[in-house]
Amino acid sequence: MSEETPETPAETTAPPLPGDRPPKSGRSRRKRRSGRTEARASQFWMIVSSPDNFRKTREHGFTIQGLKSRHRRRVETMRVGDRMLYYVTGRMAFAASVTVASPMYEDHTPIWRSARRDEDYPWRVHIRQDVVLDDADWIPAKELAYRLDYVRKWPPEHWTLAFQGHIHALPRNDFAILEDELSRSARRRRSLAG
């Protein structure tokens, strides 16, 4: 007596849903380049600087910024129009915002200093100042840290860890919060002087 196997219904495939992509074949699909460059959204950066190095950037009229040698890949992603703001260690305060005005280039002319003797901040970009505060008007980070999504990566009692290291990518909203506060402080100073 032979064992009967129930018939299996023919495999059916559900119709594709809107937005579904067809399965990939083994061939790679390359996008054609039309010769024009695609615009990308600006990136937002925070530079963590010692008071001395921030002073050096100020002495150069906020026209140039060097970044440490180990951050080459990050600096290579910077484009004209990206934005930066400065957090100054020691004072634990925000002091300025600038706009990147050139692609990255290499230069070993000594300007900024590091504890490492061989560090000369070789990856550089030209910048132009947007909002630069006088030292007395810098915004203490502890007044704003609780409002920043970036800082929420750390436990609240260790919020200062968000400001360790030399360069950080910031969310657009965080940058906007910080630059608004810088602008508000600059307007306050002008109205008092006026």
Side-chain angles (χ1 to χ4, degrees):
M1 185 170 203
S2 70
E3 201 172 292
E4 290 183 28
T5 58
E7 287 185 32
T8 56
E11 261 185 42
T12 58
T13 56
L17 297 172
D20 278 357
R21 292 185 176 162
K24 288 188 176 185
S25 67
R27 299 184 333 195
S28 77
R29 298 172 191 245
R30 290 189 180 174
K31 292 182 180 177
R32 271 194 216 153
R33 294 193 178 249
S34 63
R36 62 188 163 98
T37 58
E38 293 181 23
R40 72 153 176 81
S42 293
Q43 292 184 45
F44 301 89
W45 305 95
M46 175 175 62
I47 305 299
V48 176
S49 179
S50 69
D52 186 50
N53 283 341
F54 183 76
R55 185 178 51 75
K56 299 274 187 181
T57 301
R58 184 190 297 272
E59 287 172 0
H60 281 80
F62 290 96
T63 59
I64 184 173
Q65 180 59 55
L67 295 131
K68 291 182 177 181
S69 53
R70 70 175 174 263
H71 296 298
R72 178 181 181 154
R73 287 185 186 236
R74 282 192 172 191
V75 184
E76 282 176 331
T77 68
M78 289 182 179
R79 299 289 179 267
V80 172
D82 281 3
R83 306 293 312 288
M84 291 180 181
L85 62 81
Y86 291 86
Y87 170 85
V88 182
T89 60
R91 289 275 305 274
M92 296 173 63
F94 298 102
S97 67
V98 299
T99 299
V100 175
S102 77
M104 179 195 89
Y105 63 97
E106 184 174 358
D107 184 352
H108 296 276
T109 305
I111 297 175
W112 301 274
R113 283 198 234 168
S114 172
R116 286 184 46 202
R117 190 174 285 178
D118 60 338
E119 180 61 69
D120 60 2
Y121 297 74
W123 313 120
R124 300 185 182 181
V125 290
H126 289 289
I127 56 175
R128 71 171 184 274
Q129 71 181 29
D130 294 316
V131 181
V132 178
L133 301 179
D134 292 333
D135 294 11
D137 299 325
W138 290 357
I139 313 281
K142 68 181 176 185
E143 292 178 8
L144 298 173
Y146 73 94
R147 294 173 54 193
L148 305 177
D149 288 334
Y150 177 75
V151 176
R152 291 188 185 122
K153 295 178 186 178
W154 291 269
E157 65 274 15
H158 298 298
W159 67 270
T160 56
L161 293 175
F163 304 100
Q164 302 291 315
H166 181 54
I167 182 171
H168 303 273
L170 287 180
R172 173 191 296 266
N173 191 49
D174 287 359
F175 191 94
I177 288 169
L178 294 168
E179 190 169 50
D180 285 350
E181 290 298 325
L182 291 171
S183 297
R184 187 173 293 128
S185 183
R187 284 192 304 272
R188 199 175 315 131
R189 169 60 70 176
R190 281 194 300 270
S191 70
L192 291 173

